[in-house]
Amino acid sequence: MSQDLLPPVAPSVTAGLVEALSPRLRKRLDAGVAKLAARPVVREGDTVRIALDDDTELELHVVGGSVTSADAIRCGCLLAPDCLHRAAAASAAPVADAGPADSPGHAPTPTHPSSSATASAAATATASTSAAYASVQEGSAGHGGVPGRPADESPDPGQLVAARGVFDAATAVLEAGADGSGAVLQAELLRAAHTARLAGLPRAAASAVSVVNGVRAARSADPAHRLPDLVEALRAALGVAHRLPAARGAELAELRGTVRQPYAPDGSLRLYGLFSEPVLTATGYAGAVTWTADAEGRLYTVSDVAPGGPGRATAAADRAVRIGDTALTHRELSRAGLAVSGATVSPTGRLGAGAGVRAVRAGGAAWSAEPLGRLWTAPVAEQVARALHGGHDLLFLDVTLAGTVREATGDCLLADCAGLTLRLATAHQDPALPYRDNLRLLAAARGSRLRIVARLVPGPLPRALLLAAEHPADPGARVDLGLDRLQHADLPTATGASVAVRAVDEAPLHLLRRRVHQAVSGGRRVLAFPGVAAGDGARLRRVGMGTAAELLDELHAAAADRSRDAFGRLLPADTDRFARAWLASSLYTEEAERALCAAAWGAAKQG
């Protein structure tokens, strides 16, 4: 059964169906989901049918693109409506959500700080995360104000209950790890998400749904799954739920979030296409995003993202953009231009497609010509500093291809960039997208000087995800590496020597990061084994990362902490202590990677 054929199901529906199961059926739910996945699915209009056997069908009735009530899932078996099939179908289907993030994701790891830069960056990370560490350990939080709102405004009782529900459900997932978080734990987190949304906490709700989607992707071996993304989702869910009870004023408004991004009028715009990229997420969304820029270098996006799989991601580039009456496809817009009147724009630069928006095709511009050329004149360190401090994460770079290097996650394309050895990684691993094949072909164009667009990957080595590039044999043309396929015949013969990548003296942040990731994957038990981190704390202290060492020690102590009662029986683990220790370690790791990244790119002074 392809998940693409199943309609999204509201979190409250899935949670309610699972909760209604008897304890005996709950134990069989994961097996029921797996069994249902092998059954044929047929979609006819707003009705989806799953053949349970030759005589029995399960039906899902869609309203407005999703299943919004338990009554819309009907089963023809003798035990219905109290059967396992309805809950299994809801648990197998995508989660109905407000939609994916504005910007497509990023990816993992690392570059080239010297010993002194590493020590400096580690010190910066320690200073900038000490407050967050104290907040997680002691439950403190900052206060702020916002115009028109009382500075001491606090969460209402319903929000406090909802936040605690998200924290407890996310903690249960962390306790079990993705490997042990079956449909029942997922349903509990979906119920917490639904409660949070009703309580006016859309940010907490969205974070909880992201965790569920990430867990499902991990358990199904979805090619789109990336463990760092699941770590980030769990950190967001726990972090928001932990901070909200003590938040006031502006911080409270930020933690509550908004259901939809506001679109503000922006008058008339003259835009020039930059590139298009496919979107294929572990949360069940697919499509394309086209990036454009105005004459001042400000970036705007036009997107077509909806529930779907790889097929939708590859086809969306040839669909007309959803703005005004233009018939331009995303692929055409990436090389042409757009004149927009009555434009509306979100805070992240996404163009609205309201009834009052008018758009017509206009001429484009080459990357080497104005106004697009100015994007590549900004110093590299300045671009990285902007990305690390909340700006867009795209980098516009001039590079010379220099070979490849093999890593655990696959081959990286090496390039010289302003004197730095840059590692360019694949933006998405799904074989339906041409990223990997294009990266391998570009490796054969060693010595080529190219303009590229890449997405920054924070870490201790200069690294980015390669999104678009000039054509190696035709500088006037450009290649959207997630949509266009290069051919061997298109490539010039290699003219440069391969670059030998030397080992670098980098901060051993991976000692802490690895444990943070292991907990998300395997749960608390994988960190509770004696001697699992022997010597790691001492190694961190030797290089001046004392805070990281303390966090690592506490993480292992919290994982192994099991008290006994007067009769010697093990008491339940202190899951709250483990969740707080994990959250503090995760926050520190995130901030330290940003500091090390700034040092690697020479962007520390820019911040």
Side-chain angles (χ1 to χ4, degrees):
M1 176 180 68
S2 172
Q3 192 188 52
D4 296 351
L5 295 174
L6 291 178
V9 176
S12 59
V13 173
T14 303
L17 289 173
V18 172
E19 186 178 40
L21 294 177
S22 67
R24 179 180 64 85
L25 289 180
R26 285 193 188 189
K27 293 178 181 179
R28 296 169 50 191
L29 182 55
D30 289 327
V33 173
K35 186 176 181 180
L36 202 67
R39 305 306 304 167
V41 179
V42 175
R43 182 160 191 165
E44 298 175 354
D46 289 336
T47 301
V48 177
R49 294 184 175 87
I50 305 173
L52 300 178
D53 55 40
D54 293 340
D55 303 313
T56 310
E57 284 188 338
L58 180 71
E59 292 185 352
L60 293 86
H61 296 271
V62 182
V63 177
S66 63
V67 176
T68 57
S69 71
D71 292 340
I73 303 179
R74 305 167 189 166
C75 184
C77 77
L78 296 176
L79 297 178
D82 301 322
C83 62
L84 182 69
H85 303 127
R86 298 169 70 224
S91 299
V95 181
D97 192 15
D102 271 334
S103 290
H106 43 283
T109 73
T111 110
H112 152 160
S114 65
S115 297
S116 60
T118 293
S120 174
T124 301
T126 298
S128 60
T129 55
S130 59
Y133 172 53
S135 172
V136 173
Q137 294 299 322
E138 300 170 15
S140 64
H143 296 255
V146 62
R149 183 172 289 173
D152 61 348
E153 180 187 13
S154 60
D156 62 49
Q159 291 176 338
L160 294 176
V161 171
R164 185 65 211 187
V166 170
F167 189 88
D168 289 345
T171 295
V173 169
L174 178 63
E175 171 79 7
D179 295 344
S181 295
V184 173
L185 285 183
Q186 295 169 29
E188 291 175 359
L189 191 50
L190 289 176
R191 175 169 292 284
H194 176 64
T195 302
R197 188 171 292 277
L198 292 179
L201 302 177
R203 182 176 171 186
S207 298
V209 169
S210 293
V211 173
V212 172
N213 287 322
V215 167
R216 289 183 177 181
R219 290 172 61 85
S220 64
D222 189 324
H225 167 65
R226 290 184 57 258
L227 182 57
D229 291 344
L230 178 53
V231 170
E232 182 178 343
L234 195 54
R235 176 172 59 236
L238 286 170
V240 169
H242 173 80
R243 288 167 53 201
L244 190 135
R248 300 291 183 272
E251 184 187 22
L252 178 58
E254 176 195 356
L255 293 175
R256 283 171 173 163
T258 56
V259 176
R260 294 187 180 277
Q261 286 202 329
Y263 282 77
D266 203 17
S268 297
L269 297 173
R270 175 64 169 91
L271 303 176
Y272 300 84
L274 271 168
F275 73 101
S276 291
E277 62 176 319
V279 175
L280 181 58
T281 74
T283 61
Y285 286 86
V289 171
T290 298
W291 291 81
T292 65
D294 67 7
E296 304 302 319
R298 292 186 295 262
L299 300 186
Y300 298 83
T301 60
V302 181
S303 62
D304 179 1
V305 180
R312 193 179 197 287
T314 55
D318 295 314
R319 295 164 62 100
V321 297
R322 298 176 178 177
I323 179 168
D325 298 323
T326 178
L328 278 173
T329 66
H330 284 270
R331 194 186 301 274
E332 291 169 337
L333 176 57
S334 69
R335 291 156 174 83
L338 205 61
V340 186
S341 62
T344 58
V345 183
S346 80
T348 57
R350 180 186 291 180
L351 290 171
V357 179
R358 298 289 181 266
V360 296
R361 180 173 186 152
W367 283 0
S368 57
E370 290 301 319
L372 297 184
R374 70 180 59 188
L375 295 170
W376 277 265
T377 62
V380 174
E382 181 181 303
Q383 296 188 51
V384 172
R386 177 205 62 227
L388 292 174
H389 291 84
H392 69 77
D393 57 0
L394 295 185
L395 303 179
F396 300 90
L397 308 173
D398 288 303
V399 302
T400 301
L401 304 185
T404 59
V405 62
R406 176 152 295 181
E407 298 182 340
T409 56
D411 288 347
C412 281
L413 181 62
L414 296 179
D416 177 80
C417 177
L420 295 172
T421 299
L422 171 62
R423 301 180 182 218
L424 296 169
T426 301
H428 203 291
Q429 294 294 334
D430 195 291
L433 304 177
Y435 280 120
R436 288 190 303 180
D437 294 338
N438 285 336
L439 197 74
R440 293 192 188 104
L441 287 174
L442 284 174
R446 192 171 58 251
S448 296
R449 178 82 173 165
L450 301 177
R451 282 201 154 170
I452 66 169
V453 182
R455 176 166 287 117
L456 177 68
V457 178
L461 297 172
R463 177 186 297 269
L465 304 179
L466 186 56
L467 302 174
E470 289 178 327
H471 196 291
D474 182 6
R478 62 187 79 158
V479 182
D480 296 335
L481 295 168
L483 299 171
D484 305 324
R485 286 192 179 273
L486 289 168
Q487 304 295 325
H488 279 286
D490 296 335
L491 301 178
T493 304
T495 59
S498 295
V499 172
V501 181
R502 65 182 179 86
V504 293
D505 181 16
E506 59 180 275
L509 185 63
H510 64 276
L511 298 176
L512 181 59
R513 184 199 309 116
R514 180 172 58 198
R515 303 308 177 194
V516 168
H517 287 199
Q518 282 179 337
V520 173
S521 179
R524 179 184 57 80
R525 65 185 182 279
V526 301
L527 303 185
F529 300 121
V532 85
D536 287 353
R539 183 178 172 188
L540 288 167
R541 289 184 176 90
R542 281 198 300 271
V543 297
M545 301 186 75
T547 302
E550 290 180 19
L551 290 167
L552 183 60
D553 291 344
E554 169 60 15
L555 184 60
H556 282 288
D561 183 16
R562 294 293 301 274
S563 302
R564 295 181 181 272
D565 63 16
F567 299 99
R569 295 172 298 194
L570 279 174
L571 296 172
D574 186 347
T575 55
D576 268 22
R577 178 190 175 189
F578 180 64
R580 289 194 304 271
W582 181 88
L583 182 57
S585 297
S586 182
L587 287 169
Y588 175 90
T589 302
E590 179 188 35
E591 192 62 34
E593 285 182 338
R594 289 181 178 276
L596 292 168
C597 179
W601 289 86
K605 295 181 181 179
Q606 301 289 333

